[in-house]
Amino acid sequence: MIALENAAYNYGGGELLSDISLRLAPGSFHFLTGPSGAGKTTFLKLCYADLQPTSGRVTIFDRDVRTLTRDDVALTRRRIGVVHQDCQFLDHLPLAANVMLPLTVAGKMGDAQDVSDLLGWVGLSQLADARPPSLSGGERQRAALARAIITGPDVILADEPTGNLDWEMSLRLLTLLVELNRMGKTILIATHDLNLIRQAKAQVAARVLRIRNRRIQLAGADL
Amino acid sequence: MTRGSFDNPLKADLHADRVVPPTGFTARLTVFTSLAMTFLAVFALALSMAAGRLAERWSDSLQGTATIRISAPQDQIDTQVAAVLALLTVTPGIASARALEDQEQRDLLAPWFGPDLPVDALPLPRLIEIKEDSAGYDAEGLRQRLTAEAPGAVLDDHTRWRRPLAVAASRLRLLGVTSIILITCAMGAMITLAANAALAANLQVIRVLRLVGAKDTYIVRAFVRRFTLRAFSGAIAGALLGMGGVALLPGVDEAGGFLTGLGFQGLGWLFPLLLPVLAGIVAFAATRFAAFRTLKGLP
Ligand SMILES: Nc1ncnc2c1ncn2[C@@H]1O[C@H](COP(=O)(O)OP(=O)(O)O)[C@@H](O)[C@H]1O
Ligand SMILES: [Mg+2]
């Protein structure tokens, strides 16, 4: 699905990520950990073609991101659900319209029932008509997850999706992601919440990647 | 990429329209600009159409007539008139020629000197009116032969004063057309500025749309549709106001001068209605250009 070969990235002040080689196989479940500032968000941006590697190669759905036109990037993003760390919404539209946005921009009619089911799943049924600025951090993150999965993407990338959630809600969200994985979706979650990772390992065969010294390594049983 | 593809800005794409929040002052700026510019353009159009009519009238009504003026001592004048008339009958290109009667000459002069002009007592030149046929005559050749046959005869073929008038009228028309072009360009520039302001104010919205998989054309369409509709509606109001202003001008015949002829006639009233269409096309092109340029600079 997504493959990196000797990929490196640098914002201009020395390499942040170096010599990264990794394949996200279809149906796999990965966690990505590392201290704050290690480059987790940057890594995810490489995976959804928001950034291009400064060296090496990133391939998404078998296409080198350097060969993608702007329209190709748009089409690629429709197949990847991303929960962004800063979860941005269109503040002038109600939450339900925001959750449907990926369908809207793709020219598809959203099924109102699907949207309300999805909002129910993430516990936001009451807030379908609320404007995003009035939501709490946790509510925004749940809404961001709903928006990420509404198109039924093949891959789901989540950047600190439980950062603002209490433990109970974190577990609910994890359960949802595990369920999506069982349906065949490829999942990558960036988090520094080790409890969440332990909890997940009890439910699914998840691999844990750790960014250390600009490189990615597979974490062992030390978690 | 699909940049070359044509997006119908009027297509009912309500979703695309709603994803961009209301754009405040740029909306009012666009409506006001198109209203004011179209209002001005209506007058420029009226000016150029009136000037065009005038230029045509002057060349048409004078086409094909000329006058020969004969000034000579009293005892020679009748001989010279006869000689000129004889010459004219054999000159190719002349359809008819006749000497004006005293009464006709008196009528011609009356507006300037009053009805009691003692024509007989004054050494007035005699006038011969000639009409040319469709082939036309050779004015220079006729002048030379007149000098030989009747030394007191002068050919006045009207072109001397007709030409500067016709030139002035067509310059005026050119001025009107130039004004419309300049107004159109100014409107395009203002709408580009307004669109750029709207785009700059919505960079965050554009970013979110890109992240959820919107193509550039989708985002561009949201802005283009909005600005096109605004420019169109502002221009409709401006055109109607301008046409109202032109309709309130005094009619053509009241005083007979040039200024009173400044208006639209018959089907000419349809032309100002094309201006809102032009405004819509300008807004469409300007916004589309501005939006694609902005998007190209974004990730
Ligand atoms: N747009 C940017 N320009 C320059 N530096 C950046 C930019 N984005 C992130 N960084 C830097 O890159 C490093 C890694 O950031 P990030 O990928 O967000 O880490 P993480 O998500 O693991 O906390 C940080 O030091 C951050 O300051
Ligand atoms: Mg981060």
Side-chain angles (χ1 to χ4, degrees):
Chain A
M1 302 250 111
I2 298 176
L4 293 84
E5 293 165 54
N6 309 111
Y9 193 80
N10 137 24
Y11 281 109
E15 247 168 37
L16 177 63
L17 297 172
S18 300
D19 197 22
I20 307 239
S21 293
L22 179 74
R23 297 187 74 82
L24 293 186
S28 61
F29 198 120
H30 286 89
F31 282 101
L32 177 65
T33 70
S36 172
K40 299 184 292 296
T41 299
T42 305
F43 177 86
L44 290 183
K45 285 181 174 176
L46 289 171
C47 294
Y48 61 87
D50 198 29
L51 296 174
Q52 291 197 357
T54 42
S55 72
R57 212 152 80 106
V58 174
T59 319
I60 304 177
F61 303 127
D62 299 323
R63 290 194 58 185
D64 187 332
V65 293
R66 284 207 185 78
T67 67
L68 298 179
T69 64
R70 288 179 65 82
D71 279 358
D72 290 337
V73 169
L75 295 175
T76 302
R77 286 186 187 155
R78 293 177 192 176
R79 298 176 61 190
I80 303 177
V82 183
V83 181
H84 303 275
Q85 190 168 15
D86 50 5
C87 341
Q88 284 165 4
F89 297 98
L90 299 184
D91 291 344
H92 65 290
L93 293 180
L95 192 60
N98 266 289
V99 167
M100 275 206 283
L101 197 58
L103 293 175
T104 308
V105 302
K108 291 180 193 140
M109 288 301 293
D111 184 337
Q113 190 57 47
D114 286 353
V115 177
S116 73
D117 284 354
L118 201 50
L119 284 176
W121 234 112
V122 295
L124 292 176
S125 295
Q126 315 297 315
L127 294 171
D129 296 323
R131 306 281 145 162
S134 67
L135 302 185
S136 74
E139 288 162 346
R140 290 171 75 86
Q141 275 182 324
R142 285 180 273 152
L145 179 70
R147 184 178 68 181
I149 62 180
I150 190 144
T151 52
D154 306 321
V155 182
I156 295 158
L157 308 175
D159 197 354
E160 312 272 9
T162 59
N164 287 305
L165 299 183
D166 55 38
W167 180 240
E168 192 190 338
M169 188 50 74
S170 299
L171 285 184
R172 206 152 126 196
L173 191 136
L174 179 66
T175 310
L176 177 58
L177 288 167
V178 167
E179 202 149 296
L180 288 165
N181 180 246
R182 293 212 174 105
M183 291 160 62
K185 313 288 186 192
T186 309
I187 311 267
L188 172 61
I189 303 172
T191 182
H192 57 255
D193 186 346
L194 299 185
N195 282 330
L196 188 75
I197 297 176
R198 283 188 203 109
Q199 185 67 38
K201 285 188 125 179
Q203 302 178 35
V204 71
R207 293 211 300 167
V208 181
L209 308 165
R210 186 156 49 194
I211 301 181
R212 180 172 285 175
N213 297 328
R214 315 197 308 271
R215 285 159 210 267
I216 282 194
Q217 48 182 237
L218 203 56
D222 54 326
L223 275 172
Chain B
M1 289 221 246
T2 50
R3 175 155 190 183
S5 73
F6 178 76
D7 313 309
N8 179 356
L10 301 178
K11 196 167 77 184
D13 194 346
L14 293 174
H15 288 303
D17 215 24
R18 272 179 56 225
V19 296
V20 178
T23 36
F25 84 95
T26 61
R28 275 164 276 152
L29 179 64
T30 306
V31 173
F32 174 74
T33 302
S34 343
L35 187 151
M37 292 296 178
T38 310
F39 185 79
L40 294 177
V42 169
F43 286 100
L45 188 64
L47 175 72
S48 62
M49 289 179 74
R53 279 199 302 273
L54 219 52
E56 251 166 52
R57 196 160 72 213
W58 279 333
S59 359
D60 276 359
S61 67
L62 295 170
Q63 203 77 55
T65 67
T67 313
I68 292 173
R69 204 169 60 237
I70 301 161
S71 321
Q74 279 298 301
D75 53 332
Q76 289 171 31
I77 199 154
D78 287 335
T79 343
Q80 291 209 9
V81 168
V84 169
L85 286 173
L87 170 63
L88 288 173
T89 52
V90 299
T91 307
I94 304 286
S96 69
R98 80 188 173 88
L100 295 190
E101 305 294 328
D102 281 351
Q103 185 56 44
E104 285 179 280
Q105 290 205 206
R106 213 182 319 230
D107 290 346
L108 275 178
L109 293 171
W112 279 276
F113 300 108
D116 301 325
L117 190 70
V119 172
D120 302 329
L122 286 172
L124 284 179
R126 292 288 299 275
L127 299 178
I128 294 175
E129 186 190 78
I130 58 180
K131 288 202 165 68
E132 60 182 318
D133 63 20
S134 55
Y137 61 92
D138 166 21
E140 220 24 66
L142 181 58
R143 271 201 189 95
Q144 280 168 15
R145 263 172 298 151
L146 281 173
T147 325
E149 305 266 334
V154 176
L155 172 66
D156 178 358
D157 65 359
H158 300 314
T159 49
R160 243 185 314 141
W161 63 275
R162 179 176 76 205
R163 196 168 293 135
L165 282 182
V167 167
S170 57
R171 286 269 161 76
L172 210 53
R173 169 161 55 180
L174 190 66
L175 215 62
V177 171
T178 310
S179 303
I180 293 175
I181 293 172
L182 287 178
I183 288 169
T184 308
C185 293
M187 192 167 85
M190 301 270 276
I191 292 176
T192 304
L193 284 179
N196 276 330
L199 288 159
N202 285 295
L203 288 181
Q204 200 53 49
V205 169
I206 294 172
R207 168 100 183 121
V208 171
L209 292 173
R210 282 292 300 173
L211 283 177
V212 299
K215 289 186 184 180
D216 285 352
T217 42
Y218 180 88
I219 300 168
V220 166
R221 194 155 56 215
F223 284 93
V224 163
R225 184 179 138 84
R226 195 169 281 211
F227 278 87
T228 304
L229 288 177
R230 275 186 204 137
F232 185 70
S233 53
I236 292 257
L240 292 178
L241 284 176
M243 287 162 75
V246 170
L248 289 179
L249 288 174
V252 185
D253 299 322
E254 276 172 31
F258 164 70
L259 277 175
T260 55
L262 192 62
F264 298 106
Q265 289 177 1
L267 288 179
W269 282 102
L270 294 179
F271 280 92
L273 293 178
L274 292 178
L275 293 172
V277 177
L278 181 66
I281 293 172
V282 167
F284 175 83
T287 312
R288 195 175 155 83
F289 174 74
F292 269 115
R293 203 184 41 188
T294 299
L295 283 171
K296 259 196 182 157
L298 299 176

